[in-house]
Amino acid sequence: MPCPSRSDELFFFVNGRKVIERNADPEVTLLTFLRKNLGLTGTKYACGRGGCGACTVMVSKCDPTSKKIRHFSITACLVPICSLYGAAITTVEGVGSIKTKLHPVQERIAKSHGTQCGFCTPGMVMSMYTLLRNHPQPSEEQLMEALGGNLCRCTGYRPILESGRTFCVESNGCQQKGTGNCCLDQGENDSFSRGRNSDISTELFTKDQFQPLDPTQELIFPPELLRMAENPEKRTLNFHGERVTWISPGTLKDLLELKVKHPEAPLILGNTSLGPAMKSRGHLHPILLSPARISELNTVSKTSEGLTIGAGCSLAQVKDILAERVSELPEEKARTYRALLKHLKSLAGQQIRNMASLGGHIISRHFYSDLNPILAAGNATLNLISEAGTRQIPLNEHFLAGLASADLKPEEILESVYIPHSQKWEFVSAFRQAQCQQNALADVNAGMRVLLKEGTDAIEDLSIAYGGVGTATVSARKSCQQLLGRRWNELMLDEACRLLLDEVSLPGSAPGGKVEFKRTLVISFFFKFYLEVLQELKKLAKLFSAPDCLHYPEISDQFLSALEDFPVTVPQGVQKYQSVDSRQPLQDPVGRPIMHVSGLKHATGEAIFCDDIPRVDNELYMVLVTSTRAHAKIISIDLSEALELPGVVDVITAKDIPGTNGAEDDKLLAVDEVLCVGQIICAVVAETNVQAKRATEKIKITYEDLEPVIFTIEEAIKHNSFLCPEKKLEQGNIEEAFEKVDQIVEGEVHAGGQEHFYMETQRVLIIPKTEDKELDIYVSTQDPAHVQKTVSSTLNVPINRITCHVKRVGGGFGGKVGRPAVFGAIAAVGAIKTGHPIRLVLDREDDMLITGGRHPLFGKYKVGFMNNGRIKALDIECFINGGCTLDDSEQVIEFLVLKLENAYKIRNLRFRGRACMTNLPSNTAFRGFGFPQGTLVTESCITAVAAKCGLLPEKIREKNMYKTVDKTIYKQAFNPETLIRCWNECLDKSAFHSRRIQVEEFNKKNYWKKKGIAIIPMKFSVGFAATSYHQAAALVHIYTDGSVLVTHGGNELGQGIHTKMLQVASRELKIPMSYVHICETSTAMVPNTIATAASIGSDVNGRAVQNACQILLKRLEPIIKKNPDGTWEDWIEAAFEQRISLSATGYFRGYKAFMDWEKGEGDPFPYYVYGAACSEVEIDCLTGAHKKIRTDIVMDACCSLNPAIDIGQIEGSFIQGMGLYTTEELKYSPEGVLYSRGPDEYKIPTITDVPEEFNVSLLPSSQTPLTIYSSKGLGESGMFLGSSVFFAIADAVATARRERDIAEDFTAKSPATPERVRMACADRFTEMIPRDDPKTFKPWSIPIA
């Protein structure tokens, strides 16, 4: 590598301060630099691939030609620092701080309750802040676009949007909102509105208190950079790293010379393509050329024939350029530009569009590229330049396939792209279908163009290109040739479909799978194009009053809706809850929508998470090494090469463990055998994270494969491979009942697993103390006591030497109950062996690979019923895929079986459940704990019964619901009155019956689009089925200045438990909340705690805090009696003088709960949460896409401790559940390797997935004497209500199938992805496609449920 000895100085500005880096390494990203070098930890690491937006910052640059300052958002994890020469960066810390002054964006997101765990909040703030810097009064569409690249796993997005909406100019929200009567709120006979309006509130925050946005108060652009833009630096800059040299020429001439010298070196602008490739596939380029400072690559020129756009323009700039051109040109000339614009709106997220360049997008030639098919079909030309001069090549299939004759020469670069105007009789369209509407790579996309002979419908020229159906963009040139001269009619359509399927062929084993779906899309898209052109011809015929001889085929009105794409709309909605009693003292916060206690810190980036703790002296990094085989014997582990690498201190293996290595069948570190891909074998400890990662690649492990290898539930059943005995509940006489019914239906349900995708990956920091073998552990966990115990047994050290600290957790959802103990224990072994503090932070890919998630389920049901829909007998057998070790699988199958009956009283029941042992990472606890999968089977039964009886599903649900005080299948008594109230309230608030009629009307008029609506009841039991798991303790200190410190056993995961505990302490001690503080959860303060899980964290810890406060108040009573007019401070001072203890331990012994599986009866749950949800969707039968139109949720929260937090929990869990049932799909290879290991492949809901109208009501005036202040735990229950979207989709699909005369009873498979929806809506196009015999090829992925 040519290495001129010295690097140039790199300089840029961060938050207004100049940063000079003398040894800039091109491999260091801005994220690493901000966090490690500058200590700015507000910018978070969550995925490392630009896919989640947690690391969003704003970059400002002065355009040398226009002299305008451009502000744009980027993801810091992809941006190499070397690309920032002369740029100004603003991070969340530069926007505002709780120490100085908050920015309105930060204040509003916190006060609108837009933060829960707070890990994604700095990124959200930066996306909105950048938007406001460019548009101080943005439109709602701009707001949606700005947040499209930011993921949130907690809130369900609505409150985040709500906070952004307060800045928007034209809000189409309700004008009457705030007066208590909103237009969104007309139920059929609304019981809320009859005379009780004063109790019901719809305001979770008041806008009047917000400080106004004042653009003059923002950080100014550094004057030094303005002067630099006047006189740009022309010399070439060199930055030499350890392995990579970054060269940034100042002129085009220099760049072309460098390209001759280094023909292999890629040009790098946004790093959105090279970055992920370097991270995931280890691609390394020793020299990188950066053309960022070359203005010739950013020029735009317009002519009467077309538009030339510089290759250096970002995709966001290209979008603006095209939008401007479209507004200037007559419609017929701008058709190609319109097609490009359509795809630019949904391509990646805003941050990636701001970074990625047009040239990079084209030259990368990704098979999934959204623009290349349109550019190829639209006859774009590439303008190349080299020292030898310029030349043009067509952007055609030869170029896209990478043929040398049609490609750039090594010394050439792409200067610009010429895109010609379309002509009068030329039509251009673009199509794409992805797993979800935005920020997702397309499964298939297409660009199509046809030129018709003027005044006729004869094809003069035709060009079709597809992405996603091969290793490169595929052009259907042969088919197009054969169709020339044909007329644009049904005959041509049939012929075209046949030709296209022939030419664009995909093998059954094609990478990415979904082969039949992709084949179907190839022709479904062409059919859409066919209709679009016909529609345009109709318009032209009217315009030119075409000769009568020209008669275009008619499009039936039923087909017209196939032409429209689903629009991106800003969600609206109303949140209702019962106001507090007017007699409640103002300083008593219970029942009020109090902001999350850390909300403002989340928004300023000052909330400290585990990995934000500053580097400790002599700290080392740990990286894990995992198995690459699913079931194998470990023959040898060779560490020699790894240990020789610079910076590597040690490799920790099972031999280094002083105590116990996990359990017999669940080892912390593998010893002789591995049971799944992703099992931890050893761990590298090094001075830096990068050194540790490089060392893991040098560890050589030899395996010997073992039999059997089991991945699927089907294989496990065949091999009788189970983790625990069968769990069974029975009631009545099921055999006898089946003999007496009118009809019997049998069916199957498959529910896929789910990844937790907490925004903060698993992480732990271990600090060994110098004496007595003491350890301090800072860990992101739901169960610090479990981490403490595991570390104790692993190190063979008493528990009292180990202290676990949890300040806050960036999302848990069950995934941080058991697993953090494993990482804590392995890191602790490293700390003890090396004597150094150890930091272990999992990459997103490793986290997803190692940790397991929700159990996939296979369920079989047999249901016997009368013709009127009354169910007499139900037999369900469920199998869950537990993975390779027991973990929580036994409890999950128990809970699943206990909760299977949901809201229905069926006299004769048999429920059975088994947990299968497979060679996959062990699945674990996940919000809802079996209920969301199991109850899907029950509700699918109901739908099947409805179809057989010819009745509506809601009628069957109503007929079979619990009606009176009764006992469950496990003999626990309960009163279903609240359940029925929720159901009726939901029917009414959603105006269900009138909307059911509207849906039917819509479906009669539309053949290719169908609507569906569903309403689902829920009886959800909270808590653990054991009394000892319901105990809780708290420690409350009152200090002599009157301030109060509360510590309790619950962990702050984003669910607001600390906020609620402060509310409890404030009420009990009768002091303002501002007097009370919670520092952290620590095993030294409150010992032997139970995991914060099962929805009861606030319940039980609230009772413990209440108990401690009551003890203290009782001690203070004599003093208060003596001086009733004194202040709190006076009383505390007096108490201290009189030697009264101002510290108390509070304790709650727990709710009674037990279950006897031998007898099949017990009282396993303290209480139930009832609810109901109604959802309406619209599906596109040609593509499988769906749009969520409206959701109404009614939830029984009794007396909510904090309605803002509780409604946030309901919305967040609903959206997470909706993800489970629609887009979140885990894909495994036939060798058991998880493919979906990041946000690119695994799609959690984004901001555009929120229902267009989203209403949540907490059922008013319901009581429960059991819990603290009659509140209920709502953390998990909303999850299952997401299935209302699944059943609405199923309702729409069933309508389509009925219309097409296909059997209605198809196996329910969750998630209802576009692939499944499209293939279920069978039609002439699904009939046409070739289908492969499964025996003839090896599939790309296998179904594990």
Side-chain angles (χ1 to χ4, degrees):
M1 175 164 69
C3 188
S5 51
R6 264 184 56 242
S7 274
D8 286 295
E9 271 185 4
L10 172 70
F11 87 94
F12 50 89
F13 282 77
V14 176
N15 299 333
R17 294 176 60 179
K18 189 171 180 177
V19 174
I20 296 176
E21 181 56 36
R22 293 194 168 80
N23 300 308
D25 186 337
E27 290 187 80
V28 172
T29 63
L30 174 59
L31 178 62
T32 305
F33 190 82
L34 290 171
R35 292 181 62 83
K36 299 272 178 350
N37 297 41
L38 303 181
L40 296 172
T41 54
T43 310
K44 303 292 180 223
Y45 166 75
C47 79
R49 309 184 62 150
C52 72
C55 63
T56 303
V57 297
M58 181 177 88
V59 174
S60 307
K61 284 185 174 173
C62 183
D63 187 313
T65 35
S66 70
K67 304 284 180 277
K68 278 193 183 139
I69 294 162
R70 262 183 67 228
H71 305 291
F72 51 96
S73 57
I74 57 153
T75 48
C77 67
L78 284 183
V79 174
I81 49 169
C82 295
S83 68
L84 294 168
Y85 182 84
I89 289 112
T90 308
T91 71
V92 69
E93 291 91 346
V95 173
S97 157
I98 49 173
K99 297 185 188 83
T100 50
K101 186 172 183 236
L102 286 169
H103 189 277
V105 171
Q106 295 168 320
E107 177 197 37
R108 294 185 196 186
I109 197 168
K111 290 184 177 169
S112 310
H113 314 288
T115 84
Q116 283 184 24
C117 84
F119 201 80
C120 74
T121 311
M124 294 283 179
V125 165
M126 290 315 299
S127 286
M128 280 201 262
Y129 175 75
T130 310
L131 171 69
L132 295 174
R133 287 299 299 265
N134 292 317
H135 307 280
Q137 282 192 309
S139 69
E140 294 192 338
E141 283 66 43
Q142 286 171 322
L143 176 67
M144 288 290 278
E145 196 173 289
L147 293 172
N150 290 75
L151 297 180
C152 169
R153 194 55 155 162
C154 299
T155 63
Y157 300 104
R158 184 207 50 80
I160 297 172
L161 273 170
E162 204 79 4
S163 73
R165 218 201 219 116
T166 60
F167 296 102
C168 288
V169 48
E170 77 307 328
S171 176
N172 47 12
C174 175
Q175 297 315 308
Q176 302 157 313
K177 200 170 173 189
T179 57
N181 43 0
C182 166
C183 61
L184 287 174
D185 191 31
Q186 281 137 12
E188 281 164 0
N189 46 359
D190 199 334
S191 60
F192 273 161
S193 57
R194 285 203 303 272
R196 281 220 316 261
N197 230 349
S198 56
D199 313 355
I200 300 300
S201 178
T202 56
E203 284 214 336
L204 290 171
F205 60 92
T206 43
K207 294 193 180 81
D208 333 342
Q209 301 165 357
F210 291 157
Q211 50 165 331
L213 176 69
D214 180 356
T216 63
Q217 294 300 296
E218 306 297 3
L219 277 175
I220 62 161
F221 187 71
E224 183 178 344
L225 296 182
L226 279 175
R227 290 195 296 277
M228 223 177 91
E230 292 293 323
N231 188 11
E233 172 90 68
K234 288 280 189 264
R235 69 190 177 92
T236 297
L237 302 169
N238 291 283
F239 304 110
H240 304 288
E242 198 186 322
R243 308 190 298 172
V244 177
T245 296
W246 179 287
I247 309 176
S248 167
T251 65
L252 182 58
K253 181 172 171 295
D254 291 346
L255 174 64
L256 299 176
E257 278 173 19
L258 283 163
K259 196 70 180 115
V260 173
K261 209 158 147 198
H262 309 293
E264 295 306 305
L267 267 60
I268 176 168
L269 270 171
N271 199 35
T272 55
S273 176
L274 281 179
M278 275 153 68
K279 189 173 189 322
S280 59
R281 295 193 290 281
H283 287 186
L284 187 75
H285 302 279
I287 292 181
L288 296 171
L289 301 179
S290 162
R293 298 187 295 141
I294 291 153
S295 53
E296 288 90 333
L297 297 185
N298 289 330
T299 50
V300 178
S301 63
K302 310 171 191 174
T303 65
S304 54
E305 267 74 61
L307 179 60
T308 303
I309 303 179
C313 292
S314 71
L315 296 182
Q317 289 170 306
V318 171
K319 186 166 163 279
D320 295 342
I321 293 160
L322 291 173
E324 186 190 335
R325 203 68 190 110
V326 165
S327 65
E328 301 163 349
L329 288 170
E331 192 199 349
E332 73 233 22
K333 289 191 171 181
R335 288 187 180 123
T336 311
Y337 306 152
R338 270 208 173 81
L340 285 165
L341 269 175
K342 178 178 150 184
H343 278 188
L344 278 165
K345 281 195 177 107
S346 54
L347 189 154
Q350 180 72 40
Q351 296 92 321
I352 299 290
R353 291 196 294 271
N354 286 332
M355 296 152 67
S357 63
L358 176 63
H361 183 93
I362 291 169
I363 297 287
S364 299
R365 288 174 268 212
H366 292 300
F367 67 92
Y368 51 75
S369 159
D370 276 332
L371 303 185
N372 285 347
I374 310 170
L375 292 168
N379 286 333
T381 306
L382 302 179
N383 298 318
L384 311 180
I385 185 166
S386 65
E387 276 199 310
T390 57
R391 75 183 180 111
Q392 279 76 36
I393 59 169
L395 195 164
N396 59 13
E397 76 270 26
H398 302 310
F399 165 78
L400 291 167
L403 291 183
S405 58
D407 206 346
L408 286 77
K409 295 180 181 139
E411 69 279 8
E412 286 180 321
I413 65 162
L414 173 60
E415 186 181 25
S416 60
V417 184
Y418 169 70
I419 314 166
H421 292 334
S422 50
Q423 308 165 36
K424 188 170 284 171
W425 290 84
E426 189 170 31
F427 306 100
V428 186
S429 290
F431 306 96
R432 80 190 297 273
Q433 182 54 48
Q435 187 83 339
C436 52
Q437 201 173 0
Q438 271 212 302
N439 205 4
L441 298 175
D443 290 323
V444 179
N445 53 28
M448 303 188 184
R449 178 185 62 84
V450 65
L451 174 65
L452 299 176
K453 199 163 177 217
E454 190 159 343
T456 73
D457 62 355
I459 300 173
E460 198 169 292
D461 189 17
L462 181 62
S463 181
I464 298 173
Y466 290 103
V469 288
T471 49
T473 302
V474 175
S475 173
R477 169 150 300 216
K478 278 195 217 126
S479 309
C480 293
Q481 283 308 119
Q482 280 175 273
L483 293 168
L484 294 184
R486 299 290 296 270
R487 294 187 57 186
W488 198 259
N489 56 21
E490 281 282 332
L491 280 171
M492 182 283 302
L493 173 66
D494 280 347
E495 172 77 353
C497 290
R498 282 212 324 280
L499 290 167
L500 285 169
L501 283 173
D502 223 25
E503 185 173 359
V504 183
S505 64
L506 258 183
S509 57
K514 306 184 188 183
V515 171
E516 292 183 357
F517 173 51
K518 289 180 172 184
R519 288 172 183 160
T520 308
L521 285 179
V522 164
I523 48 179
S524 298
F525 284 165
F526 185 77
F527 175 62
K528 282 195 166 216
F529 182 54
Y530 168 74
L531 293 179
E532 278 183 24
V533 172
L534 278 188
Q535 189 71 346
E536 291 292 326
L537 284 175
K538 284 264 176 339
K539 282 192 213 158
L540 279 179
K542 281 201 189 90
L543 272 177
F544 301 107
S545 52
D548 295 337
C549 60
L550 240 194
H551 183 67
Y552 301 122
E554 282 297 320
I555 307 181
S556 94
D557 287 347
Q558 279 190 307
F559 281 20
L560 284 175
S561 59
L563 299 171
E564 294 152 28
D565 284 318
F566 292 128
V568 171
T569 46
V570 187
Q572 307 272 0
V574 179
Q575 300 76 47
K576 291 191 165 168
Y577 61 95
Q578 194 159 1
S579 311
V580 297
D581 191 313
S582 53
R583 299 185 297 274
Q584 180 171 319
L586 271 176
Q587 80 166 21
D588 178 353
V590 170
R592 302 186 198 274
I594 306 281
M595 174 180 77
H596 193 297
V597 64
S598 297
L600 294 170
K601 285 186 288 192
H602 290 157
T604 60
E606 289 163 290
I608 298 294
F609 290 86
C610 182
D611 190 36
D612 299 338
I613 297 168
R615 196 182 154 84
V616 192
D617 278 350
N618 302 318
E619 180 188 299
L620 299 174
Y621 282 86
M622 179 177 269
V623 174
L624 305 175
V625 177
T626 56
S627 160
T628 54
R629 302 290 175 87
H631 189 195
K633 211 164 126 185
I634 299 174
I635 303 296
S636 67
I637 304 175
D638 178 3
L639 310 173
S640 53
E641 261 187 77
L643 289 166
E644 282 163 16
L645 287 180
V648 176
V649 177
D650 208 339
V651 178
I652 306 298
T653 64
K655 294 189 186 80
D656 298 313
I657 295 175
T660 53
N661 180 12
E664 190 41 53
D665 51 0
D666 191 357
K667 300 272 186 239
L668 295 174
L669 291 171
V671 183
D672 302 317
E673 186 182 0
V674 288
L675 297 173
C676 68
V677 174
Q679 186 172 345
I680 306 167
I681 295 174
C682 56
V684 176
V685 177
E687 286 166 21
T688 70
N689 202 12
V690 174
Q691 289 167 335
K693 274 193 189 131
R694 284 184 197 157
T696 59
E697 290 156 21
K698 300 290 182 198
I699 290 176
K700 297 194 170 58
I701 302 172
T702 43
Y703 303 95
E704 182 185 301
D705 286 336
L706 296 172
E707 293 289 324
V709 182
I710 301 169
F711 299 127
T712 69
I713 292 177
E714 198 182 333
E715 291 165 349
I717 296 169
K718 197 167 85 188
H719 284 89
N720 203 16
S721 172
F722 297 109
L723 288 162
C724 56
E726 181 181 74
K727 303 293 169 184
K728 185 173 174 181
L729 289 176
E730 255 185 285
Q731 125 180 333
N733 185 332
I734 192 151
E735 265 71 28
E736 203 175 282
F738 273 126
E739 279 165 20
K740 296 182 178 164
V741 293
D742 294 341
Q743 299 193 56
I744 292 177
V745 169
E746 297 190 44
E748 291 184 355
V749 175
H750 299 263
Q754 187 179 23
E755 160 60 33
H756 298 95
F757 213 96
Y758 25 68
M759 295 303 289
E760 177 197 35
T761 55
Q762 302 272 1
R763 43 198 68 180
V764 58
L765 172 63
I766 310 260
I767 304 176
K769 301 276 191 71
T770 45
E771 49 187 317
D772 298 331
K773 298 186 176 172
E774 289 181 341
L775 281 186
D776 261 336
I777 300 180
Y778 295 87
V779 57
S780 179
T781 179
Q782 292 172 248
D783 194 351
H786 178 49
V787 178
Q788 184 190 31
K789 281 179 211 156
T790 309
V791 171
S792 155
S793 65
T794 308
L795 299 182
N796 202 5
V797 168
I799 292 179
N800 63 4
R801 309 296 161 88
I802 293 158
T803 307
C804 282
H805 306 264
V806 180
K807 182 84 175 169
R808 58 175 60 84
V809 176
F813 317 116
K816 291 182 181 169
V817 175
R819 302 306 290 178
V822 174
F823 304 119
I826 296 170
V829 173
I832 293 302
K833 189 176 178 198
T834 61
H836 288 264
I838 296 276
R839 191 180 296 251
L840 169 60
V841 176
L842 288 197
D843 272 355
R844 177 65 64 189
E845 293 89 335
D846 289 340
D847 191 300
M848 290 183 77
L849 178 71
I850 295 168
T851 59
R854 185 183 295 285
H855 292 74
L857 168 139
F858 164 59
K860 295 193 283 198
Y861 62 82
K862 179 179 176 186
V863 56
F865 53 96
M866 309 312 282
N867 289 334
N868 67 357
R870 161 74 65 202
I871 297 174
K872 295 289 189 183
L874 176 59
D875 186 359
I876 295 181
E877 188 170 16
C878 288
F879 298 90
I880 59 173
N881 194 328
C884 60
T885 63
L886 183 60
D887 200 293
D888 282 331
S889 296
E890 187 160 11
Q891 288 97 308
V892 169
I893 202 74
E894 287 180 0
F895 275 45
L896 189 146
V897 169
L898 285 168
K899 298 179 185 200
L900 263 178
E901 62 171 23
N902 194 17
Y904 307 110
K905 174 67 184 175
I906 297 161
R907 301 253 167 243
N908 306 287
L909 289 172
R910 179 166 60 207
F911 294 156
R912 288 168 295 172
R914 297 290 313 251
C916 300
M917 180 172 166
T918 58
N919 295 109
L920 292 173
S922 188
N923 284 312
T924 185
F926 198 137
R927 198 177 203 166
F929 213 72
F931 181 74
Q933 306 98 295
T935 316
L936 193 72
V937 182
T938 313
E939 293 298 340
S940 299
C941 288
I942 301 271
T943 317
V945 169
K948 275 282 179 282
C949 295
L951 295 166
L952 294 168
E954 56 271 18
K955 290 283 172 265
I956 307 290
R957 292 194 165 98
E958 221 152 52
K959 191 176 262 316
N960 292 289
M961 224 180 274
Y962 277 102
K963 300 288 192 304
T964 54
V965 175
D966 210 323
K967 284 188 169 173
T968 62
I969 182 172
Y970 43 88
K971 316 288 187 288
Q972 185 165 354
F974 83 107
N975 181 351
E977 184 205 342
T978 321
L979 168 68
I980 293 157
R981 274 186 64 202
C982 286
W983 173 259
N984 290 335
E985 199 71 79
C986 190
L987 280 171
D988 171 56
K989 301 206 81 50
S990 63
F992 183 85
H993 297 297
S994 57
R995 278 171 54 216
R996 167 66 85 188
I997 294 162
Q998 290 162 8
V999 163
E1000 283 165 9
E1001 283 307 304
F1002 175 92
N1003 289 342
K1004 278 184 204 140
K1005 293 184 187 145
N1006 294 280
Y1007 187 81
W1008 295 111
K1009 290 259 171 76
K1010 294 291 174 199
K1011 283 187 177 179
I1013 189 168
I1015 180 166
I1016 304 285
M1018 177 190 70
K1019 166 175 123 288
F1020 181 81
S1021 39
V1022 307
F1024 301 94
T1027 307
S1028 62
Y1029 274 81
H1030 294 149
Q1031 60 182 309
L1035 181 61
V1036 178
H1037 300 317
I1038 305 174
Y1039 292 94
T1040 49
D1041 65 349
S1043 65
V1044 178
L1045 181 66
V1046 173
T1047 313
H1048 59 90
N1051 302 281
E1052 179 57 70
L1053 318 168
Q1055 83 288 39
I1057 190 168
H1058 286 350
T1059 312
K1060 287 181 171 179
M1061 294 309 98
L1062 293 178
Q1063 288 175 279
V1064 171
S1066 166
R1067 167 176 278 189
E1068 290 298 335
L1069 296 172
K1070 303 182 179 56
I1071 55 175
M1073 253 176 90
S1074 57
Y1075 281 39
V1076 193
H1077 176 61
I1078 292 179
C1079 171
E1080 64 174 8
T1081 305
S1082 158
T1083 54
M1085 302 285 272
V1086 177
N1088 313 325
T1089 54
I1090 301 298
T1092 305
S1095 301
I1096 56 160
S1098 298
D1099 280 31
V1100 297
N1101 288 292
R1103 290 289 286 271
V1105 170
Q1106 180 185 38
N1107 176 237
C1109 292
Q1110 285 172 351
I1111 291 169
L1112 287 166
L1113 217 52
K1114 192 139 194 67
R1115 291 179 194 162
L1116 291 172
E1117 243 170 42
I1119 290 173
I1120 298 171
K1121 264 199 188 120
K1122 209 186 250 175
N1123 176 14
D1125 298 333
T1127 63
W1128 171 255
E1129 287 83 353
D1130 297 339
W1131 299 334
I1132 299 306
E1133 209 171 307
F1136 179 73
E1137 291 297 325
Q1138 292 173 35
R1139 304 190 311 286
I1140 291 171
S1141 166
L1142 292 174
S1143 173
T1145 300
Y1147 191 64
F1148 175 55
R1149 292 197 63 191
Y1151 302 122
K1152 290 266 187 301
F1154 68 93
M1155 181 65 202
D1156 183 335
W1157 281 97
E1158 292 296 306
K1159 293 185 186 155
E1161 57 187 67
D1163 266 7
F1165 305 112
Y1167 62 86
Y1168 296 102
V1169 172
Y1170 307 103
C1174 165
S1175 291
E1176 181 185 346
V1177 300
E1178 186 179 332
I1179 65 169
D1180 183 333
C1181 302
L1182 283 166
T1183 62
H1186 74 269
K1187 170 97 181 130
K1188 300 158 197 83
I1189 296 169
R1190 177 171 167 180
T1191 292
D1192 294 85
I1193 297 174
V1194 176
M1195 192 71 96
D1196 146 50
C1198 278
C1199 301
S1200 168
L1201 289 178
N1202 183 328
I1205 282 177
D1206 285 344
I1207 286 171
Q1209 285 293 292
I1210 293 164
E1211 291 176 335
S1213 57
F1214 172 83
I1215 297 289
Q1216 202 174 48
M1218 197 182 77
L1220 164 69
Y1221 299 118
T1222 57
T1223 59
E1224 298 185 33
E1225 200 173 16
L1226 291 164
K1227 296 275 192 183
Y1228 289 88
S1229 78
E1231 292 74 39
V1233 181
L1234 178 67
Y1235 285 130
S1236 26
R1237 295 215 290 265
D1240 296 353
E1241 307 89 3
Y1242 185 77
K1243 291 297 166 195
I1244 71 168
T1246 66
I1247 210 146
T1248 47
D1249 291 306
V1250 183
E1252 212 169 303
E1253 190 182 322
F1254 191 17
N1255 303 315
V1256 178
S1257 310
L1258 300 183
L1259 194 71
S1261 29
S1262 69
Q1263 293 282 325
T1264 169
L1266 185 70
T1267 58
I1268 184 156
Y1269 311 145
S1270 224
S1271 64
K1272 282 191 174 181
L1274 297 172
E1276 300 170 281
S1277 44
M1279 190 93 200
F1280 173 65
L1281 294 180
S1283 70
S1284 60
V1285 172
F1286 177 85
F1287 288 106
I1289 293 172
D1291 184 47
V1293 169
T1295 310
R1297 288 173 73 90
R1298 272 198 302 276
E1299 192 173 47
R1300 293 155 172 68
D1301 291 327
I1302 318 165
E1304 235 185 280
D1305 46 345
F1306 58 102
T1307 305
K1309 287 188 177 174
S1310 165
T1313 57
E1315 173 187 17
R1316 289 196 173 130
V1317 172
R1318 174 63 188 102
M1319 299 318 284
C1321 296
D1323 54 33
R1324 61 194 255 204
F1325 302 115
T1326 53
E1327 304 277 285
M1328 277 184 188
I1329 63 162
R1331 304 203 178 230
D1332 305 300
D1333 176 352
K1335 294 188 191 75
T1336 59
F1337 67 92
K1338 184 179 177 182
W1340 177 76
S1341 74
I1342 51 169
I1344 58 161

